[in-house]
Amino acid sequence: MKKLIFISIFILSTLIYAQSESSPYNSKAGSFARLGFGARGMGMGNAMSAVIDGNVFTYYNPALSVFQEKNSFQTSYTFMTLDRKLNFLSFTKKFKLKSRGNTERYLGFSAGIINSGVSDIPGYDNEGTFTGNLSTSQNQFYIALANKFSEKFTLGVTFKYYYYDLYEDLTSTSIGIDIGAIYRITENLTAAFTITDLNAKDEWDSSDIYGSSGTKTTHKFPVLTKFGLAYKTLENKLLVAVDYESSNAETDIVRVGSEYKIHENLTVRAGCDRIHLENMDIPVRPSFGFSYFYKLNNNIIGINYAFVVEPYSSGDLHVVGVNFNF
């Protein structure tokens, strides 16, 4: 009898505390914009909010643009399964202002696009007759501005325009805002803070398709709050970064990444994305990659690659990118 009671209590407690392998984070609107940006960022597990060295991405923190050396043009293409696509394009530049005392002052500017979608979706009418292939497209267009107020503190803001083409006359547009800051604790240690996707949402009005039967719905993006640290060591050859992210979707996520400069022109990296502290049963996303740079006169051409494990998919992600610094 005691054994039966013990087994019953064990089973009941297991059912109560069992954690599902799913997260509200993935089902919220705007999920395409939370996959990462480019081969370098995704190869480092997207732990990039405090990384100020090398080619920077204001996708992770709008304050980063003032740390970009030379003008930088970057583009990436992602090989995905199930007829999906994910593409990135960005341009970053910093401007030197008049110095104030011994402090050099800079403004940073960055603009970019994230394009995602699915093609070759079979379409059928009410009688089951094939009507042709359909496609859907989600896009984020952004402009980021940053000001380096001192040698230690930088503040930035990003304005994002979302355009979602779901089906024929059914589209959604929205404006989102990111705010980010960088604080340089020491020469080798940097801290970051960001708030992402304020006001961003998908708004749908199907009355143009269904007339009086149509409805209006709104799906808000989760607001993300991030804290990050990045540290350089081993004569600046090794970079280690970690991000902690919380959201109003009740998620707590840790991201870690590192890269090591094997040669002046060759860097390798690895990372792990989406370590859910609130539910350790959710699969993580390990990644690795590399970059090779070639100097051409005063310009630098770079080739970037990242491999990212994608749970629940028939294949993983391969991100290939090119950057041109001039």
Side-chain angles (χ1 to χ4, degrees), residues 98-296:
K98 288 185 178 180
S99 299
R100 183 180 296 170
N102 295 325
T103 302
E104 294 185 339
R105 300 174 59 222
Y106 294 95
L107 286 178
F109 168 83
S110 181
I113 301 171
I114 302 176
N115 166 254
S116 175
V118 183
S119 59
D120 297 330
I121 305 172
Y124 300 90
D125 61 18
N126 292 335
E127 297 179 351
T129 303
F130 178 71
T131 58
N133 287 325
L134 305 174
S135 64
T136 180
S137 176
Q138 300 181 74
N139 304 274
Q140 179 199 113
F141 306 88
Y142 70 84
I143 293 177
L145 304 171
N147 191 345
K148 188 176 182 181
F149 289 94
S150 69
E151 288 298 321
K152 288 187 174 293
F153 182 70
T154 303
L155 186 66
V157 60
T158 298
F159 300 95
K160 302 188 290 189
Y161 175 76
Y162 286 100
Y163 176 74
Y164 192 168
D165 183 6
L166 181 60
Y167 173 73
E168 293 184 350
D169 296 326
L170 192 58
T171 61
S172 171
T173 60
S174 175
I175 300 294
I177 298 174
D178 296 353
I179 300 172
I182 294 287
Y183 187 78
R184 199 158 191 173
I185 301 173
T186 67
E187 184 67 24
N188 291 342
L189 180 62
T190 307
F193 171 76
T194 64
I195 300 177
T196 303
D197 279 330
L198 294 169
N199 191 62
K201 54 186 174 292
D202 285 336
E203 294 183 305
W204 305 106
D205 184 355
S206 59
S207 58
D208 289 340
I209 299 176
Y210 300 110
S212 59
S213 299
T215 60
K216 293 183 179 181
T217 58
T218 299
H219 301 135
K220 293 184 178 181
F221 289 23
V223 176
L224 314 177
T225 303
K226 250 188 307 192
F227 299 89
L229 290 172
Y231 181 70
K232 295 184 299 181
T233 186
L234 299 181
E235 298 179 346
N236 295 334
K237 290 185 178 182
L238 177 65
L239 172 67
V240 180
V242 59
D243 278 4
Y244 165 75
E245 174 193 285
S246 64
S247 77
N248 58 358
E250 299 181 355
T251 57
D252 293 285
I253 294 174
V254 171
R255 300 180 173 92
V256 294
S258 65
E259 63 178 20
Y260 183 76
K261 185 176 289 188
I262 297 177
H263 183 266
E264 180 182 1
N265 298 330
L266 179 63
T267 301
V268 295
R269 60 183 58 94
C272 191
D273 189 7
R274 300 195 183 181
I275 305 171
H276 286 259
L277 300 181
E278 84 287 353
N279 188 343
M280 298 300 289
D281 286 344
I282 298 174
V284 298
R285 293 172 175 247
S287 60
F288 66 85
F290 68 88
S291 293
Y292 180 80
F293 299 95
Y294 177 77
K295 292 184 178 180
L296 183 63

